[in-house]
Amino acid sequence: MSEKIRIGVFVCHCGLNIGATVDCAAVAEHAKKLPHVVYVEHNMYTCSEPGQLQIKNGIREHDLNRVVVASCSPRMHEPTFRATVADAGLNPFLFEMANIREHCSWIHKDKEAGTEKAKRLVELSVARAALLEPLDSREVGVTNTALVIGAGVAGMRAATDIADRGYDVHLVEREPYMGGKAAWFSKMFPLRKCEETCVGDCPHCLLVPEFEEVLDNPRITLHLNSEVASIDGYVGNFKATIRTQPIYVDREKCTYCGECTEVCPVSVPDERNYGMQKRKAIYLPSTGIVPRSYVIDDTVCSHFVGGKCAKKPSCVKACKFGAIDLKEKERTQEVDVGTIVVATGFDNYDPTKKEELHYKHPRVITAPEYERLSAYTGPTDGKLVIDGIEPKRVAFISCVGSREKEGNEYCSRVCCIFTAKQAHSVLKKLPDAKVAVYYTDVRAFGKGHEEFYQKVLDEGVDYRLRELEDPLKVTINNDNIKVRCKGHKDFKADLVVLATGLVPQHDSPEICRLLNLSLSGDGFFMEAHPKLRPIDTFTDGVFLAGCCQGPKDIADSMAQASGAAARACGILSKMALTLGVETAFSDETCIGCGTCVVVCQFGAITLEEIDGELRAVVNEALCKGCGTCIAACPSGAMQQRHYTDEQILAMIEAVAGGGA
């Protein structure tokens, strides 16, 4: 380094934040004695306009080529001061900050001790500043297309919001239909006035317009029966491989006349009705699902697994429109996208883990099963008939799989209100029925929820309070079902409904690996910050929407989806993104051992052959500058720009020196 180092130091009082505990004038006087320091000032607020002007004047009038500001946390004002020195013609990375507020004045009461520590902190920064080197940012272009994974309510909302802003969207859904689990609800809360007269499903009223909005939007490419097989790249420039499984039916030709399913010889439990009904191997997912088309389940179809239709498929012969193509194959497609919204939803808690609740009994069911039982499109056409009887006494048990001391500690947030909705539903269908709800407390925090809960109480539903630790069990004796709970008389029930909680999707770990995401302690996808960045992830350009991040109702899922879409559009709207410069790099001493590749949690490092030898190569767009690879590198070949070993060692030596 041939230039003469000329450092300017500016000490901030931050009002009394620093000035009350640190003698800033003394710190400034001390800084004048430090090597390379040629100009020193102290002022009340360095971040203010006058304070910034003082820095600019100092650079111009005293020919400063390094600047140190001793004030607050770099997280607070480092961008401000970098912009200030850049305005004065200095490379912004020739700026250094000493934190004498959070690291000093806020944690010390003794002014003398605080002042001495502030002096040491300024010494460290001056020592490092003398070794700083100018760095230049680099820009990369942005692919103005988004990928949304999951076509439930959150995914559909995110896709339409992005498309409405003028960007193309690939919407990927593993099922052969849109809507997710919400598409199978009987009614959606809040119940509208039409519930008094409407004979259809509320999801039809609420979701079909959402379906049509997706299908009619020319900017949305819908990939049903598909999954994202791989994702490479980085924010602004992802490359996704979408794998689509065949449904063996041409949606353009299918008129859903149903003649194919009439002749299908295969019957299996219908998973969409939780096994309470049979379906054929070729089936219509639901009469209300869009896009409407029959699909063939090749895991049970006798043409594929061997059986009656192996050589002469009955459905092909029955279809007058030639819509069935049993030769359809799996397809893969690569798409370039600039940002990704993850909206993969949730799973329902499995109550078989609670042996005391006897879930395997046919008249002990879960809340999702009750939804199908009470739906007009369900297995009983909406009639409350189960196991051959019309239940006269119904018990609901809340918090099954939620708020557990050992297990899922979190509240699933939606169970209280859907239990109230289902209790209301029982009385609507069977006015003389006796309904009891075993609950710990009612968390009806949503808009209109508390009012609805009060309405259900007025309708005569018997809410029975219990503590979470109070024993509760279902007993069965010769088909006589009783709910036994401490503090209450036994309740004889014809039907028991378990308000099962929401749990993370079973394949969440795989999606984490695919997108380099993290899981929080409850198993849902972790956001970058629960309060300040609830939609972002630690992977730039990847955002969360809906229940994949944690339990929430439809209204909250939709709101978060719109937020994720807005965040995604913030990237898509840019022509280019500026890459961080404080990234890792390897020098010629790299031995190609691959240790850095293993420890890098961002997948930013690869081994490539350079001049006949394997060397670590860092993708600057993916590198977060965490320094893990540098600590792990056995040969010392990995370094980080702006935080080189030389700069760090200079700070340590300044500490060891004990002052100027």
Side-chain angles (χ1 to χ4, degrees), residues 191-411:
L191 303 178
R192 300 186 297 181
K193 290 183 178 178
C194 63
E195 65 154 335
E196 306 294 338
T197 56
C198 180
V199 295
D201 258 345
C202 278
H204 293 189
C205 300
L206 296 175
L207 291 185
V208 169
E210 295 285 328
F211 297 154
E212 298 293 352
E213 198 172 347
V214 170
L215 293 174
D216 293 343
N217 197 316
R219 289 196 173 278
I220 298 178
T221 303
L222 181 61
H223 303 264
L224 292 175
N225 228 31
S226 303
E227 292 183 308
V228 177
S230 66
I231 291 181
D232 296 316
Y234 47 86
V235 56
N237 294 276
F238 292 107
K239 186 179 287 295
T241 301
I242 300 172
R243 182 185 298 135
T244 301
Q245 300 299 327
I247 63 169
Y248 308 104
V249 178
D250 187 333
R251 286 194 170 95
E252 299 296 325
K253 295 180 179 178
C254 179
T255 62
Y256 38 93
C257 63
E259 293 191 19
C260 55
T261 201
E262 292 290 336
V263 299
C264 179
V266 178
S267 290
V268 295
D270 185 354
E271 56 278 90
R272 291 156 189 80
N273 282 309
Y274 301 96
M276 294 184 287
Q277 192 178 33
K278 296 281 187 178
R279 66 164 172 82
K280 297 296 184 67
I282 182 166
Y283 66 103
L284 193 63
S286 171
T287 54
I289 298 301
V290 177
R292 296 182 74 179
S293 170
Y294 277 81
V295 299
I296 292 178
D297 180 354
D298 59 9
T299 63
V300 296
C301 173
S302 63
H303 174 73
F304 295 99
V305 301
K308 186 176 180 180
C309 295
K311 294 184 178 178
K312 295 181 178 179
S314 303
C315 56
V316 175
K317 184 178 179 181
C319 182
K320 302 172 184 175
F321 306 98
I324 299 175
D325 178 11
L326 298 179
K327 295 181 180 179
E328 186 182 352
K329 301 295 183 185
E330 174 187 292
R331 307 187 307 275
T332 59
Q333 178 184 358
E334 282 193 351
V335 296
D336 294 320
V337 298
T339 184
I340 299 169
V341 176
V342 182
T344 49
F346 65 97
D347 278 341
N348 295 311
Y349 177 79
D350 177 9
T352 57
K353 301 172 184 175
K354 306 280 187 183
E355 294 182 0
E356 72 276 14
L357 297 180
H358 287 280
Y359 169 63
K360 292 182 179 178
H361 191 278
R363 282 188 277 131
V364 179
I365 64 176
T366 64
E369 290 168 347
Y370 178 87
E371 285 293 315
R372 297 308 302 152
L373 188 67
S374 62
Y376 290 100
T377 57
T380 58
D381 299 326
K383 297 177 181 176
L384 274 188
V385 176
I386 186 164
D387 199 24
I389 69 167
E390 186 177 79
K392 301 298 183 185
R393 297 175 63 85
V394 181
F396 290 87
I397 300 173
S398 64
C399 296
V400 177
S402 301
R403 305 177 65 194
E404 301 170 310
K405 288 189 175 180
E406 296 181 1
N408 300 326
E409 296 181 356
Y410 57 85
C411 170

Side-chain angles (χ1 to χ4, degrees), residues 527-529 533-537 542-545 549 559-560 563-564 567:
E527 61 287 308
H529 191 285
R533 297 174 63 195
I535 296 172
D536 299 3
T537 68
V542 179
F543 305 99
L544 303 175
Q549 185 240 354
Q560 191 183 29
R567 295 286 289 150

